[in-house]
Amino acid sequence: MAVFKLDNVEDLYEIGNVLGSGHFGQVREVRERATGAQWAGKFLKLKRGAGSRLGLERKSVEKEVEILQSLQHQNIMALKDVFESRAEVVLIIELIKGGELFDFIAEKENLTETEAIEFMKQILEGVRYMHQKNVGHFDLKPENIMLSDKHAPKPDIKIIDFGMAHRFIQGEEYKSLGGTPQYIAPEIINYEPLGTAADMWSIGVITYILLDALAGCQFEDMQQERAQLTLEGKETYTLLSGLSPFQGETDEETLRNIVAMNYEFEPHHFSQTSNMAKDFIQKLLVKDQSERMTAEECLIHPWIMPLNRTQIAK
Ligand SMILES: COc1cc(-c2ccc3ncc(-c4cccc([C@@H](O)NCCN(C)C)c4)n3n2)ccc1O
């Protein structure tokens, strides 16, 4: 059983504002008393007893910590320390100040495909590193791709939230039904044995949404679509963080679309997108996981590593 520090985390860190919360627990700003340095604290409630429905199993927290302790890469959030007190575990993590990538893109009027490629390269570098360490993330989605400092000339990508991650052991079969419907691979829906290729499907979905956003998403069209959906009393989707290529009106419809490979490059959203970019996505949204590009193959795909810049023109 992993042993975490039993010191009272508040003796070493001043607990600050809530940055966010979700299935993973709560993330708060924390300040290291000895140095004044700012960190993020992920506060996780543990189950108080076997019958308890609330809180996380200690084993799952130990698994996430063990995986995070094995990953040191500039595009993966860094774990500094772990504390445990009563029924809570606190992960001390590097503070990522730049917010979510897709919010950054929403704020920028004229992000180019070349700039998008630079972000994709960093995401792929982080994913290639974790896959080389036999770790699958299994919850890659726009909300889990953050920026170190959005005001930097070239912001660093930081992949967060390894709560669904798994380290593969040679010869071991792994299945999971977790993840976020819009981004999960067909083999997860079909409850088939998984590999790191499931992350590559999610990368294909993220790339599709990123390029859809780049096209300005014909913002006014989206607004009209959003207004129409609202008039019809239908749920509208957040512009940049939910329009997966397989998005249905319900999770069930989304999952059906994934298994049926039911997606397209809608002309009025992708008319400005290079054919090389579409080829990149098509080589990731492949139902047979053994045929899907790996992160290594993505990084030498002509869209990411063109022979010359004109190559990504139409
Ligand atoms: C270690 O696992 C996590 C870390 C973090 C994390 C790490 C460093 C860090 N610095 C700033 C933030 C931050 C700032 C604003 C919102 C959030 C978070 O609530 N939303 C991020 C995406 N969400 C869907 C996980 C997180 N974080 N979040 C978030 C979720 C995790 O499961």
Side-chain angles (χ1 to χ4, degrees), residues 41-68:
K42 179 180 174 183
F43 292 76
L44 298 164
K45 297 285 185 206
L46 297 178
K47 282 187 189 297
R48 284 183 174 280
S52 167
R53 284 186 307 114
L54 298 175
L56 295 168
E57 294 288 351
R58 196 181 195 283
K59 272 282 172 227
S60 73
V61 176
E62 288 177 17
K63 178 177 179 180
E64 178 181 355
V65 168
E66 181 274 328
I67 286 171
L68 287 173

PDB file of all heavy atoms in Angstrom, residues 41-68:
ATOM      1  N   GLY A  41      -3.716  22.323  -5.630  1.00  0.00           N
ATOM      2  CA  GLY A  41      -3.973  21.179  -4.752  1.00  0.00           C
ATOM      3  C   GLY A  41      -5.226  20.464  -5.238  1.00  0.00           C
ATOM      4  O   GLY A  41      -6.260  21.100  -5.434  1.00  0.00           O
ATOM      5  N   LYS A  42      -5.076  19.165  -5.521  1.00  0.00           N
ATOM      6  CA  LYS A  42      -6.262  18.374  -5.914  1.00  0.00           C
ATOM      7  C   LYS A  42      -6.710  17.627  -4.672  1.00  0.00           C
ATOM      8  O   LYS A  42      -5.994  16.774  -4.155  1.00  0.00           O
ATOM      9  CB  LYS A  42      -5.915  17.414  -7.050  1.00  0.00           C
ATOM     10  CG  LYS A  42      -7.092  16.541  -7.507  1.00  0.00           C
ATOM     11  CD  LYS A  42      -6.686  15.622  -8.626  1.00  0.00           C
ATOM     12  CE  LYS A  42      -7.779  14.653  -9.002  1.00  0.00           C
ATOM     13  NZ  LYS A  42      -7.360  13.702 -10.055  1.00  0.00           N
ATOM     14  N   PHE A  43      -7.890  17.965  -4.176  1.00  0.00           N
ATOM     15  CA  PHE A  43      -8.419  17.418  -2.929  1.00  0.00           C
ATOM     16  C   PHE A  43      -9.387  16.270  -3.241  1.00  0.00           C
ATOM     17  O   PHE A  43     -10.401  16.487  -3.909  1.00  0.00           O
ATOM     18  CB  PHE A  43      -9.120  18.520  -2.133  1.00  0.00           C
ATOM     19  CG  PHE A  43      -8.169  19.566  -1.608  1.00  0.00           C
ATOM     20  CD1 PHE A  43      -7.625  20.536  -2.448  1.00  0.00           C
ATOM     21  CD2 PHE A  43      -7.770  19.561  -0.266  1.00  0.00           C
ATOM     22  CE1 PHE A  43      -6.723  21.485  -1.972  1.00  0.00           C
ATOM     23  CE2 PHE A  43      -6.865  20.511   0.221  1.00  0.00           C
ATOM     24  CZ  PHE A  43      -6.339  21.463  -0.644  1.00  0.00           C
ATOM     25  N   LEU A  44      -9.040  15.073  -2.775  1.00  0.00           N
ATOM     26  CA  LEU A  44      -9.819  13.876  -3.102  1.00  0.00           C
ATOM     27  C   LEU A  44     -10.387  13.270  -1.826  1.00  0.00           C
ATOM     28  O   LEU A  44      -9.640  12.978  -0.894  1.00  0.00           O
ATOM     29  CB  LEU A  44      -8.920  12.846  -3.804  1.00  0.00           C
ATOM     30  CG  LEU A  44      -8.323  13.293  -5.147  1.00  0.00           C
ATOM     31  CD1 LEU A  44      -7.182  12.394  -5.557  1.00  0.00           C
ATOM     32  CD2 LEU A  44      -9.404  13.344  -6.199  1.00  0.00           C
ATOM     33  N   LYS A  45     -11.701  13.109  -1.801  1.00  0.00           N
ATOM     34  CA  LYS A  45     -12.340  12.468  -0.646  1.00  0.00           C
ATOM     35  C   LYS A  45     -12.286  10.957  -0.818  1.00  0.00           C
ATOM     36  O   LYS A  45     -12.642  10.454  -1.907  1.00  0.00           O
ATOM     37  CB  LYS A  45     -13.824  12.908  -0.555  1.00  0.00           C
ATOM     38  CG  LYS A  45     -14.031  14.397  -0.327  1.00  0.00           C
ATOM     39  CD  LYS A  45     -13.726  14.770   1.093  1.00  0.00           C
ATOM     40  CE  LYS A  45     -14.068  16.257   1.351  1.00  0.00           C
ATOM     41  NZ  LYS A  45     -13.245  16.810   2.447  1.00  0.00           N
ATOM     42  N   LEU A  46     -11.848  10.247   0.226  1.00  0.00           N
ATOM     43  CA  LEU A  46     -11.806   8.778   0.168  1.00  0.00           C
ATOM     44  C   LEU A  46     -13.103   8.207   0.737  1.00  0.00           C
ATOM     45  O   LEU A  46     -13.738   8.828   1.601  1.00  0.00           O
ATOM     46  CB  LEU A  46     -10.626   8.253   0.983  1.00  0.00           C
ATOM     47  CG  LEU A  46      -9.232   8.649   0.507  1.00  0.00           C
ATOM     48  CD1 LEU A  46      -8.186   8.086   1.477  1.00  0.00           C
ATOM     49  CD2 LEU A  46      -8.973   8.188  -0.914  1.00  0.00           C
ATOM     50  N   LYS A  47     -13.461   7.022   0.229  1.00  0.00           N
ATOM     51  CA  LYS A  47     -14.623   6.317   0.799  1.00  0.00           C
ATOM     52  C   LYS A  47     -14.346   6.075   2.278  1.00  0.00           C
ATOM     53  O   LYS A  47     -13.246   5.652   2.663  1.00  0.00           O
ATOM     54  CB  LYS A  47     -14.832   4.974   0.079  1.00  0.00           C
ATOM     55  CG  LYS A  47     -15.498   5.062  -1.285  1.00  0.00           C
ATOM     56  CD  LYS A  47     -15.790   3.658  -1.812  1.00  0.00           C
ATOM     57  CE  LYS A  47     -16.259   3.688  -3.250  1.00  0.00           C
ATOM     58  NZ  LYS A  47     -17.548   4.410  -3.417  1.00  0.00           N
ATOM     59  N   ARG A  48     -15.363   6.318   3.120  1.00  0.00           N
ATOM     60  CA  ARG A  48     -15.155   6.117   4.565  1.00  0.00           C
ATOM     61  C   ARG A  48     -15.319   4.652   4.960  1.00  0.00           C
ATOM     62  O   ARG A  48     -14.857   4.213   5.983  1.00  0.00           O
ATOM     63  CB  ARG A  48     -16.142   6.992   5.364  1.00  0.00           C
ATOM     64  CG  ARG A  48     -15.737   8.460   5.375  1.00  0.00           C
ATOM     65  CD  ARG A  48     -16.672   9.300   6.231  1.00  0.00           C
ATOM     66  NE  ARG A  48     -16.208  10.687   6.352  1.00  0.00           N
ATOM     67  CZ  ARG A  48     -15.244  11.088   7.183  1.00  0.00           C
ATOM     68  NH1 ARG A  48     -14.632  10.202   7.950  1.00  0.00           N
ATOM     69  NH2 ARG A  48     -14.888  12.354   7.254  1.00  0.00           N
ATOM     70  N   GLY A  49     -16.020   3.862   4.148  1.00  0.00           N
ATOM     71  CA  GLY A  49     -16.210   2.442   4.470  1.00  0.00           C
ATOM     72  C   GLY A  49     -16.565   1.693   3.186  1.00  0.00           C
ATOM     73  O   GLY A  49     -16.896   2.310   2.176  1.00  0.00           O
ATOM     74  N   ALA A  50     -16.505   0.384   3.215  1.00  0.00           N
ATOM     75  CA  ALA A  50     -16.753  -0.427   2.005  1.00  0.00           C
ATOM     76  C   ALA A  50     -18.135  -0.119   1.426  1.00  0.00           C
ATOM     77  O   ALA A  50     -18.326  -0.056   0.223  1.00  0.00           O
ATOM     78  CB  ALA A  50     -16.643  -1.909   2.354  1.00  0.00           C
ATOM     79  N   GLY A  51     -19.110   0.150   2.320  1.00  0.00           N
ATOM     80  CA  GLY A  51     -20.464   0.363   1.806  1.00  0.00           C
ATOM     81  C   GLY A  51     -20.713   1.777   1.318  1.00  0.00           C
ATOM     82  O   GLY A  51     -21.749   2.079   0.733  1.00  0.00           O
ATOM     83  N   SER A  52     -19.758   2.664   1.570  1.00  0.00           N
ATOM     84  CA  SER A  52     -19.991   4.067   1.239  1.00  0.00           C
ATOM     85  C   SER A  52     -20.032   4.291  -0.273  1.00  0.00           C
ATOM     86  O   SER A  52     -19.198   3.763  -1.023  1.00  0.00           O
ATOM     87  CB  SER A  52     -18.863   4.918   1.849  1.00  0.00           C
ATOM     88  OG  SER A  52     -18.916   6.221   1.274  1.00  0.00           O
ATOM     89  N   ARG A  53     -21.027   5.077  -0.698  1.00  0.00           N
ATOM     90  CA  ARG A  53     -21.124   5.381  -2.145  1.00  0.00           C
ATOM     91  C   ARG A  53     -20.318   6.635  -2.475  1.00  0.00           C
ATOM     92  O   ARG A  53     -19.967   6.890  -3.612  1.00  0.00           O
ATOM     93  CB  ARG A  53     -22.605   5.599  -2.534  1.00  0.00           C
ATOM     94  CG  ARG A  53     -23.396   4.278  -2.633  1.00  0.00           C
ATOM     95  CD  ARG A  53     -24.831   4.474  -3.150  1.00  0.00           C
ATOM     96  NE  ARG A  53     -25.561   5.487  -2.380  1.00  0.00           N
ATOM     97  CZ  ARG A  53     -25.967   6.650  -2.898  1.00  0.00           C
ATOM     98  NH1 ARG A  53     -25.655   6.947  -4.156  1.00  0.00           N
ATOM     99  NH2 ARG A  53     -26.631   7.512  -2.170  1.00  0.00           N
ATOM    100  N   LEU A  54     -20.057   7.443  -1.450  1.00  0.00           N
ATOM    101  CA  LEU A  54     -19.373   8.714  -1.696  1.00  0.00           C
ATOM    102  C   LEU A  54     -17.861   8.517  -1.563  1.00  0.00           C
ATOM    103  O   LEU A  54     -17.397   7.690  -0.771  1.00  0.00           O
ATOM    104  CB  LEU A  54     -19.859   9.765  -0.687  1.00  0.00           C
ATOM    105  CG  LEU A  54     -21.357  10.112  -0.765  1.00  0.00           C
ATOM    106  CD1 LEU A  54     -21.726  11.073   0.365  1.00  0.00           C
ATOM    107  CD2 LEU A  54     -21.680  10.715  -2.133  1.00  0.00           C
ATOM    108  N   GLY A  55     -17.127   9.282  -2.316  1.00  0.00           N
ATOM    109  CA  GLY A  55     -15.664   9.248  -2.219  1.00  0.00           C
ATOM    110  C   GLY A  55     -15.045   8.195  -3.116  1.00  0.00           C
ATOM    111  O   GLY A  55     -15.726   7.374  -3.728  1.00  0.00           O
ATOM    112  N   LEU A  56     -13.710   8.264  -3.171  1.00  0.00           N
ATOM    113  CA  LEU A  56     -12.955   7.381  -4.068  1.00  0.00           C
ATOM    114  C   LEU A  56     -12.348   6.226  -3.294  1.00  0.00           C
ATOM    115  O   LEU A  56     -12.003   6.373  -2.113  1.00  0.00           O
ATOM    116  CB  LEU A  56     -11.834   8.190  -4.731  1.00  0.00           C
ATOM    117  CG  LEU A  56     -12.267   9.324  -5.679  1.00  0.00           C
ATOM    118  CD1 LEU A  56     -11.071  10.215  -6.028  1.00  0.00           C
ATOM    119  CD2 LEU A  56     -12.884   8.767  -6.948  1.00  0.00           C
ATOM    120  N   GLU A  57     -12.180   5.087  -3.968  1.00  0.00           N
ATOM    121  CA  GLU A  57     -11.427   3.984  -3.366  1.00  0.00           C
ATOM    122  C   GLU A  57      -9.976   4.419  -3.224  1.00  0.00           C
ATOM    123  O   GLU A  57      -9.419   5.035  -4.150  1.00  0.00           O
ATOM    124  CB  GLU A  57     -11.479   2.758  -4.300  1.00  0.00           C
ATOM    125  CG  GLU A  57     -12.835   2.122  -4.485  1.00  0.00           C
ATOM    126  CD  GLU A  57     -13.294   1.370  -3.244  1.00  0.00           C
ATOM    127  OE1 GLU A  57     -12.469   1.217  -2.308  1.00  0.00           O
ATOM    128  OE2 GLU A  57     -14.471   0.961  -3.206  1.00  0.00           O
ATOM    129  N   ARG A  58      -9.355   4.090  -2.110  1.00  0.00           N
ATOM    130  CA  ARG A  58      -7.954   4.459  -1.915  1.00  0.00           C
ATOM    131  C   ARG A  58      -7.065   3.851  -3.005  1.00  0.00           C
ATOM    132  O   ARG A  58      -6.125   4.467  -3.481  1.00  0.00           O
ATOM    133  CB  ARG A  58      -7.468   4.016  -0.538  1.00  0.00           C
ATOM    134  CG  ARG A  58      -6.169   4.692  -0.111  1.00  0.00           C
ATOM    135  CD  ARG A  58      -5.713   4.208   1.249  1.00  0.00           C
ATOM    136  NE  ARG A  58      -4.699   5.082   1.790  1.00  0.00           N
ATOM    137  CZ  ARG A  58      -3.408   5.101   1.407  1.00  0.00           C
ATOM    138  NH1 ARG A  58      -3.017   4.284   0.434  1.00  0.00           N
ATOM    139  NH2 ARG A  58      -2.540   5.931   1.952  1.00  0.00           N
ATOM    140  N   LYS A  59      -7.440   2.639  -3.425  1.00  0.00           N
ATOM    141  CA  LYS A  59      -6.667   1.949  -4.471  1.00  0.00           C
ATOM    142  C   LYS A  59      -6.615   2.772  -5.762  1.00  0.00           C
ATOM    143  O   LYS A  59      -5.583   2.859  -6.424  1.00  0.00           O
ATOM    144  CB  LYS A  59      -7.297   0.580  -4.792  1.00  0.00           C
ATOM    145  CG  LYS A  59      -6.788  -0.556  -3.904  1.00  0.00           C
ATOM    146  CD  LYS A  59      -5.424  -1.030  -4.358  1.00  0.00           C
ATOM    147  CE  LYS A  59      -4.801  -2.022  -3.370  1.00  0.00           C
ATOM    148  NZ  LYS A  59      -3.398  -1.660  -3.095  1.00  0.00           N
ATOM    149  N   SER A  60      -7.729   3.419  -6.099  1.00  0.00           N
ATOM    150  CA  SER A  60      -7.746   4.184  -7.371  1.00  0.00           C
ATOM    151  C   SER A  60      -6.893   5.442  -7.234  1.00  0.00           C
ATOM    152  O   SER A  60      -6.223   5.859  -8.182  1.00  0.00           O
ATOM    153  CB  SER A  60      -9.182   4.533  -7.762  1.00  0.00           C
ATOM    154  OG  SER A  60      -9.696   5.552  -6.933  1.00  0.00           O
ATOM    155  N   VAL A  61      -6.868   6.027  -6.037  1.00  0.00           N
ATOM    156  CA  VAL A  61      -6.017   7.200  -5.813  1.00  0.00           C
ATOM    157  C   VAL A  61      -4.548   6.784  -5.864  1.00  0.00           C
ATOM    158  O   VAL A  61      -3.716   7.450  -6.487  1.00  0.00           O
ATOM    159  CB  VAL A  61      -6.350   7.878  -4.470  1.00  0.00           C
ATOM    160  CG1 VAL A  61      -5.403   9.049  -4.194  1.00  0.00           C
ATOM    161  CG2 VAL A  61      -7.800   8.353  -4.456  1.00  0.00           C
ATOM    162  N   GLU A  62      -4.252   5.636  -5.241  1.00  0.00           N
ATOM    163  CA  GLU A  62      -2.865   5.123  -5.276  1.00  0.00           C
ATOM    164  C   GLU A  62      -2.421   4.885  -6.716  1.00  0.00           C
ATOM    165  O   GLU A  62      -1.287   5.196  -7.094  1.00  0.00           O
ATOM    166  CB  GLU A  62      -2.774   3.808  -4.490  1.00  0.00           C
ATOM    167  CG  GLU A  62      -2.871   3.955  -2.993  1.00  0.00           C
ATOM    168  CD  GLU A  62      -2.858   2.593  -2.290  1.00  0.00           C
ATOM    169  OE1 GLU A  62      -2.462   1.591  -2.927  1.00  0.00           O
ATOM    170  OE2 GLU A  62      -3.237   2.539  -1.107  1.00  0.00           O
ATOM    171  N   LYS A  63      -3.353   4.368  -7.540  1.00  0.00           N
ATOM    172  CA  LYS A  63      -3.024   4.071  -8.958  1.00  0.00           C
ATOM    173  C   LYS A  63      -2.702   5.375  -9.690  1.00  0.00           C
ATOM    174  O   LYS A  63      -1.687   5.483 -10.385  1.00  0.00           O
ATOM    175  CB  LYS A  63      -4.211   3.373  -9.620  1.00  0.00           C
ATOM    176  CG  LYS A  63      -4.018   3.056 -11.087  1.00  0.00           C
ATOM    177  CD  LYS A  63      -5.226   2.284 -11.644  1.00  0.00           C
ATOM    178  CE  LYS A  63      -5.056   1.993 -13.130  1.00  0.00           C
ATOM    179  NZ  LYS A  63      -6.210   1.256 -13.703  1.00  0.00           N
ATOM    180  N   GLU A  64      -3.535   6.416  -9.467  1.00  0.00           N
ATOM    181  CA  GLU A  64      -3.304   7.713 -10.144  1.00  0.00           C
ATOM    182  C   GLU A  64      -1.971   8.307  -9.684  1.00  0.00           C
ATOM    183  O   GLU A  64      -1.171   8.779 -10.503  1.00  0.00           O
ATOM    184  CB  GLU A  64      -4.455   8.668  -9.833  1.00  0.00           C
ATOM    185  CG  GLU A  64      -4.286  10.046 -10.453  1.00  0.00           C
ATOM    186  CD  GLU A  64      -5.433  10.996 -10.120  1.00  0.00           C
ATOM    187  OE1 GLU A  64      -6.430  10.572  -9.483  1.00  0.00           O
ATOM    188  OE2 GLU A  64      -5.327  12.177 -10.514  1.00  0.00           O
ATOM    189  N   VAL A  65      -1.704   8.241  -8.381  1.00  0.00           N
ATOM    190  CA  VAL A  65      -0.450   8.806  -7.845  1.00  0.00           C
ATOM    191  C   VAL A  65       0.758   8.062  -8.406  1.00  0.00           C
ATOM    192  O   VAL A  65       1.737   8.682  -8.852  1.00  0.00           O
ATOM    193  CB  VAL A  65      -0.461   8.772  -6.300  1.00  0.00           C
ATOM    194  CG1 VAL A  65       0.932   9.080  -5.745  1.00  0.00           C
ATOM    195  CG2 VAL A  65      -1.492   9.755  -5.747  1.00  0.00           C
ATOM    196  N   GLU A  66       0.672   6.725  -8.428  1.00  0.00           N
ATOM    197  CA  GLU A  66       1.808   5.917  -8.938  1.00  0.00           C
ATOM    198  C   GLU A  66       2.086   6.271 -10.395  1.00  0.00           C
ATOM    199  O   GLU A  66       3.243   6.445 -10.800  1.00  0.00           O
ATOM    200  CB  GLU A  66       1.458   4.419  -8.798  1.00  0.00           C
ATOM    201  CG  GLU A  66       2.539   3.464  -9.247  1.00  0.00           C
ATOM    202  CD  GLU A  66       2.475   3.164 -10.748  1.00  0.00           C
ATOM    203  OE1 GLU A  66       1.348   3.154 -11.303  1.00  0.00           O
ATOM    204  OE2 GLU A  66       3.570   3.001 -11.356  1.00  0.00           O
ATOM    205  N   ILE A  67       1.014   6.474 -11.180  1.00  0.00           N
ATOM    206  CA  ILE A  67       1.205   6.834 -12.594  1.00  0.00           C
ATOM    207  C   ILE A  67       1.812   8.237 -12.696  1.00  0.00           C
ATOM    208  O   ILE A  67       2.804   8.450 -13.410  1.00  0.00           O
ATOM    209  CB  ILE A  67      -0.141   6.750 -13.354  1.00  0.00           C
ATOM    210  CG1 ILE A  67      -0.510   5.268 -13.583  1.00  0.00           C
ATOM    211  CG2 ILE A  67      -0.083   7.507 -14.676  1.00  0.00           C
ATOM    212  CD1 ILE A  67      -1.905   5.043 -14.132  1.00  0.00           C
ATOM    213  N   LEU A  68       1.280   9.192 -11.932  1.00  0.00           N
ATOM    214  CA  LEU A  68       1.800  10.568 -11.997  1.00  0.00           C
ATOM    215  C   LEU A  68       3.252  10.625 -11.550  1.00  0.00           C
ATOM    216  O   LEU A  68       4.075  11.348 -12.128  1.00  0.00           O
ATOM    217  CB  LEU A  68       0.938  11.499 -11.130  1.00  0.00           C
ATOM    218  CG  LEU A  68      -0.451  11.832 -11.687  1.00  0.00           C
ATOM    219  CD1 LEU A  68      -1.269  12.613 -10.676  1.00  0.00           C
ATOM    220  CD2 LEU A  68      -0.338  12.601 -13.002  1.00  0.00           C
TER     221      LEU A  68
END
